[in-house]
């Protein structure tokens, strides 16, 4: 049962921005604490600063932990840097700076997932852990996303750098990363730790979409982190 005294956790979704793929995780976390799973507007492309403002207007009016999955990691960093109510930051399968050259941002305008075989997308995002149900949900979500939204988000990713803001954080930080993640590599984890040497790193035997493919294991790691943040706040 959720304790009314437990610190809330805010979940920010990955590139799809819908939150649909995180509902299982949210349900498991909700057994222990209040959970706020946000979704982003689909009517227009928004930049990282605009999305950070959108999130900031919807955060709890109390201390909370914020989790940014993949694309949303930089947004979570922005919120943690600007809001003193953020008691902890979790970067799941995410990054502070994208490793590709900024010149590649122009190529993001050519991105169209409809050109890629479904099996290739599943393998890249979920590895060998994809279930028929999760695969169907993934493709349903992707089919409902306007291409201009995906392209806009891809452009944002290819030029983001939040390492300086990450360095200035005083709250606890954790990286939750999959050992078999081929989209966000251990190099990005290393950059996060270099900016935040006190950052905890927790690895799961999972691919990029570990929050969706391993919701039970991920929920336990996240709740353990939240409990440690609560204990720190009580000191």
């Amino acid at each position: 049962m959720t304790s009314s005294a437990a610190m809330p956790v805010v979940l920010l979704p990955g590139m799809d921005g819908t939150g649909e793929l995180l509902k299982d995780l949210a349900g498991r976390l909700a057994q222990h604490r209040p959970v706020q799973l946000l979704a982003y507007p689909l009517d227009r492309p928004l930049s990282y600063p605009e999305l950070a403002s959108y999130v900031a207007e919807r955060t709890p009016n109390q201390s909370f932990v914020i989790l940014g999955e993949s694309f949303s990691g930089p947004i979570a960093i922005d919120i943690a840097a600007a809001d003193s109510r953020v008691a902890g930051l979790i970067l799941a399968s995410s990054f502070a700076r994208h490793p590709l050259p900024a010149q590649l941002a122009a190529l993001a305008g050519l991105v169209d997932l409809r050109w890629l075989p479904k099996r290739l997308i599943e393998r890249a995002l979920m590895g060998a852990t994809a279930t028929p149900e999760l695969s169907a949900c993934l493709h349903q979500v992707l089919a409902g996303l306007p291409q201009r939204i995906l392209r806009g988000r891809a452009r944002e990713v290819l030029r983001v750098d939040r390492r300086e803001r990450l360095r200035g954080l005083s709250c606890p930080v954790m990286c939750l990363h999959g050992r078999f993640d081929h989209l966000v590599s251990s190099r990005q984890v290393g950059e996060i730790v270099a900016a935040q040497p006190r950052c905890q790193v927790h690895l799961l035997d999972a691919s990029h979409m570990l929050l969706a493919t391993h919701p039970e294991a991920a929920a336990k790691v996240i709740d353990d982190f939240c409990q440690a943040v609560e204990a720190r706040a009580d000191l």
Side-chain angles (χ1 to χ4, degrees):
M1 300 244 343
T2 302
S3 168
S4 59
M7 188 175 291
V9 58
V10 175
L11 303 179
L12 306 183
M15 180 74 82
D16 66 283
T18 66
E20 290 296 320
L21 296 161
L22 298 185
K23 284 187 174 179
D24 192 357
L25 172 75
R28 294 171 190 268
L29 279 172
Q31 298 175 26
H32 307 284
R33 62 189 58 256
V35 177
Q36 187 173 355
L37 175 56
L38 294 183
Y40 302 144
L42 290 177
D43 60 333
R44 64 198 185 283
L46 296 175
S47 66
Y48 267 135
E50 289 171 330
L51 285 169
S53 296
Y54 179 88
V55 171
E57 294 171 357
R58 291 160 175 80
T59 53
N61 191 26
Q62 64 179 102
S63 295
F64 61 94
V65 171
I66 190 164
L67 179 151
E69 181 195 22
S70 189
F71 167 81
S72 287
I75 302 170
I77 293 172
D78 282 345
I79 300 299
D83 193 332
S84 61
R85 293 172 299 177
V86 176
L89 167 68
I90 302 173
L91 299 172
S93 306
S94 196
F95 46 84
R97 179 183 72 94
H98 198 276
L100 297 179
Q103 293 87 342
L104 291 181
L107 299 179
L110 303 176
V111 171
D112 192 332
L113 293 179
R114 292 172 296 187
W115 298 342
L116 300 177
K118 289 184 178 181
R119 192 172 296 276
L120 179 61
I121 295 173
E122 292 172 13
R123 177 63 64 172
L125 294 176
M126 296 184 285
T129 56
T131 63
E133 294 78 15
L134 189 54
S135 296
C137 181
L138 170 65
H139 293 300
Q140 182 177 5
V141 167
L142 293 178
L145 292 178
Q147 288 301 307
R148 66 191 185 103
I149 298 293
L150 281 175
R151 289 168 180 163
R153 289 173 185 168
R155 282 192 294 267
E156 289 296 300
V157 166
L158 288 173
R159 58 193 174 204
V160 73
D161 189 343
R162 292 295 187 268
R163 290 175 295 172
E164 196 59 38
R165 288 186 182 176
L166 187 59
R167 287 188 188 100
L169 297 184
S170 58
C171 68
V173 180
M174 180 176 72
C175 273
L176 181 54
H177 196 75
R179 288 188 175 91
F180 313 123
D181 190 337
H182 300 301
L183 296 184
V184 177
S185 72
S186 58
R187 176 181 174 183
Q188 281 75 67
V189 176
E191 288 187 343
I192 291 170
V193 173
Q196 267 289 334
R198 295 178 292 112
C199 175
Q200 305 174 38
V201 177
H202 196 101
L203 300 176
L204 293 181
D205 290 330
S207 296
H208 185 66
M209 283 178 52
L210 63 86
L211 298 182
T213 60
H214 295 69
E216 184 174 359
K220 184 180 187 312
V221 173
I222 294 165
D223 187 57
D224 287 347
F225 176 81
C226 291
Q227 289 185 41
V229 168
E230 289 168 337
R232 183 176 184 263
D234 289 339
L235 293 179

